[in-house]
Amino acid sequence: MKEFNITVVETNNPKILKFESNQFLAKGNHELKNIDEAKDSPLAQQLFYLPFVKTVYISGNFIALERFDIVEWDDVKDEVAQQLVEYLNAGEPVVNEAETQKKQPITVYAEVTPNPAVMKFVSNKKIVPTTYEFKNIDDAKDSQLAKELFHFPFVKEVFFDENYVSVSKYEVADWEEITMQLREYIRDFLADGKEVVSSEAIRKSKETAEQSLSPTQYDDTSQQIIDILEEYVKPAVASDGGNILFQSYEEESKTVNVILQGACSGCPSSTFTLKNGIETMLKNMMGDKVNEVVALNG
């Protein structure tokens, strides 16, 4: 089993210090202000025996402590970090997760994509009604799953489609080290029956989709391009963990502007796919109406 390591990280609040772990610690976020509130966290209970600990925060990959003024962090941080390492490597529980409801039979498997920085995690059940892209944790305010995934320090971006999650990682981690961890986390989240995207966000997505179907929204050429992308291109890029969105058509230059999402965004092979796949297809099917396809975020 891989050993736990703790990295001490300062915060904007001089009284609060973060102890980041190289492995997953707990689901959700826990703020515990005293030992009574820590009844479900054996680790927090132990930390409250330190006389300078005022508040314990436990999240996906870190523990943060707020201190009383009786000490300075420089005097005790190394001792606390060592205590955390010893506790975690002894296999002791961080938080005792309550089984609030019967888990649903969910399976999730990991699938590589053409983008080496993106892994696709496919569920055996539909998880969202349409696509959602989150570039950072602020974007993820309407998705509990995305917010929790961003607590992993190696997660860069998150993308949802009907039955899968695409995760983009930073280079600090290798897929061999983190794929199993992410797969199990996503599976457990879905099995608990939690809401992947808020009902309010889903409602807004439906309204946006209905507006985009308005026949007066686009000219005839733009509508033809959209129909071709929907029928021939989107299923192919979805199988690779990505998505393509029509943005605009410039009649004078005959340029089609699109936006790439998920595994397609930043993929080394996306330029080749765009030029030799999508652009060629549109030229063949629409004749001289299309001269070039450009990814605005490519």
Side-chain angles (χ1 to χ4, degrees), residues 104-109 122-125 163 183 187 190-191:
Q104 299 179 19
I106 296 288
T107 60
V108 173
Y109 68 87
V122 185
S123 167
N124 64 324
K125 292 188 176 181
N163 72 322
R183 184 185 70 80
R187 182 197 62 197
L190 298 176

Side-chain angles (χ1 to χ4, degrees), residues 141-194:
K141 63 182 184 301
D142 292 323
S143 170
Q144 185 63 34
L145 176 56
K147 278 193 290 190
E148 293 184 14
L149 289 174
F150 277 116
H151 286 142
F152 292 101
F154 47 77
V155 170
K156 184 179 181 181
E157 297 178 13
V158 178
F159 176 78
F160 297 151
D161 205 341
E162 289 190 351
N163 72 322
Y164 69 82
V165 179
S166 283
V167 176
S168 172
K169 71 172 181 65
Y170 288 103
E171 293 182 1
V172 295
D174 294 326
W175 284 121
E176 304 89 70
E177 299 173 350
I178 62 176
T179 298
M180 181 69 73
Q181 184 180 5
L182 284 172
R183 184 185 70 80
E184 292 182 353
Y185 190 89
I186 293 169
R187 182 197 62 197
D188 288 346
F189 185 98
L190 298 176
D192 287 338
K194 296 179 181 177

Side-chain angles (χ1 to χ4, degrees), residues 92-289:
E92 299 294 335
V94 177
V95 176
N96 293 322
E97 304 287 351
E99 291 293 331
T100 56
Q101 59 184 14
K102 186 177 180 181
K103 288 184 177 290
Q104 299 179 19
I106 296 288
T107 60
V108 173
Y109 68 87
E111 186 178 286
V112 296
T113 74
N115 189 341
V118 178
M119 187 71 73
K120 181 180 175 183
F121 298 89
V122 185
S123 167
N124 64 324
K125 292 188 176 181
K126 186 173 181 177
I127 61 172
V128 288
T130 187
T131 58
Y132 296 89
E133 184 177 41
F134 308 99
K135 295 287 190 181
N136 52 57
I137 197 167
D138 289 334
D139 287 350
K141 63 182 184 301
D142 292 323
S143 170
Q144 185 63 34
L145 176 56
K147 278 193 290 190
E148 293 184 14
L149 289 174
F150 277 116
H151 286 142
F152 292 101
F154 47 77
V155 170
K156 184 179 181 181
E157 297 178 13
V158 178
F159 176 78
F160 297 151
D161 205 341
E162 289 190 351
N163 72 322
Y164 69 82
V165 179
S166 283
V167 176
S168 172
K169 71 172 181 65
Y170 288 103
E171 293 182 1
V172 295
D174 294 326
W175 284 121
E176 304 89 70
E177 299 173 350
I178 62 176
T179 298
M180 181 69 73
Q181 184 180 5
L182 284 172
R183 184 185 70 80
E184 292 182 353
Y185 190 89
I186 293 169
R187 182 197 62 197
D188 288 346
F189 185 98
L190 298 176
D192 287 338
K194 296 179 181 177
E195 192 176 57
V196 176
V197 177
S198 71
S199 54
E200 176 64 16
I202 291 174
R203 183 187 64 78
K204 290 179 181 178
S205 297
K206 287 181 179 178
E207 289 179 355
T208 302
E210 289 171 0
Q211 292 171 3
S212 68
L213 293 175
S214 171
T216 59
Q217 179 89 9
Y218 300 107
D219 58 56
D220 290 343
T221 303
S222 295
Q223 192 59 55
Q224 279 182 277
I225 294 169
I226 292 170
D227 292 342
I228 292 171
L229 293 178
E230 289 287 337
E231 184 173 357
Y232 298 101
V233 179
K234 281 198 174 186
V237 296
S239 68
D240 287 335
N243 188 40
I244 184 170
L245 297 175
F246 173 82
Q247 182 67 17
S248 63
Y249 171 70
E250 299 171 15
E251 186 176 1
E252 186 174 337
S253 62
K254 300 177 182 178
T255 299
V256 178
N257 296 308
V258 298
I259 294 176
L260 301 177
Q261 295 180 313
C264 296
S265 179
C267 177
S269 63
S270 63
T271 301
F272 178 85
T273 302
L274 199 69
K275 295 297 180 183
N276 293 276
I278 300 168
E279 186 175 283
T280 300
M281 178 186 293
L282 287 173
K283 285 180 177 179
N284 289 338
M285 299 181 76
M286 300 195 64
D288 61 2
K289 288 183 179 179

Side-chain angles (χ1 to χ4, degrees), residues 64-87:
L65 300 179
E66 182 181 6
R67 63 172 173 80
F68 287 107
D69 291 333
I70 58 174
V71 297
E72 296 294 333
W73 276 123
D74 285 344
D75 299 328
V76 296
K77 64 183 181 182
D78 292 337
E79 176 188 342
V80 173
Q82 182 61 33
Q83 181 174 326
L84 289 172
V85 167
E86 292 175 359
Y87 183 94

Side-chain angles (χ1 to χ4, degrees), residues 3-100:
E3 287 195 352
F4 282 89
N5 292 317
I6 293 294
T7 302
V8 180
V9 180
E10 294 183 354
T11 71
N12 293 328
N13 186 336
K15 292 187 178 182
I16 298 177
L17 202 62
K18 282 175 67 175
F19 298 84
E20 290 189 351
S21 169
N22 63 328
Q23 297 189 59
F24 175 68
L25 296 176
K27 295 180 182 178
N29 301 303
H30 307 268
E31 180 179 347
L32 310 168
K33 293 187 175 297
N34 54 59
I35 198 166
D36 289 334
E37 291 185 3
K39 63 182 184 301
D40 293 325
S41 174
L43 173 57
Q45 288 179 3
Q46 182 169 312
L47 289 169
F48 275 117
Y49 281 107
L50 299 173
F52 54 84
V53 171
K54 181 179 181 181
T55 309
V56 177
Y57 305 89
I58 300 175
S59 191
N61 73 306
F62 69 83
I63 295 159
L65 300 179
E66 182 181 6
R67 63 172 173 80
F68 287 107
D69 291 333
I70 58 174
V71 297
E72 296 294 333
W73 276 123
D74 285 344
D75 299 328
V76 296
K77 64 183 181 182
D78 292 337
E79 176 188 342
V80 173
Q82 182 61 33
Q83 181 174 326
L84 289 172
V85 167
E86 292 175 359
Y87 183 94
L88 295 170
N89 284 323
E92 299 294 335
V94 177
V95 176
N96 293 322
E97 304 287 351
E99 291 293 331
T100 56

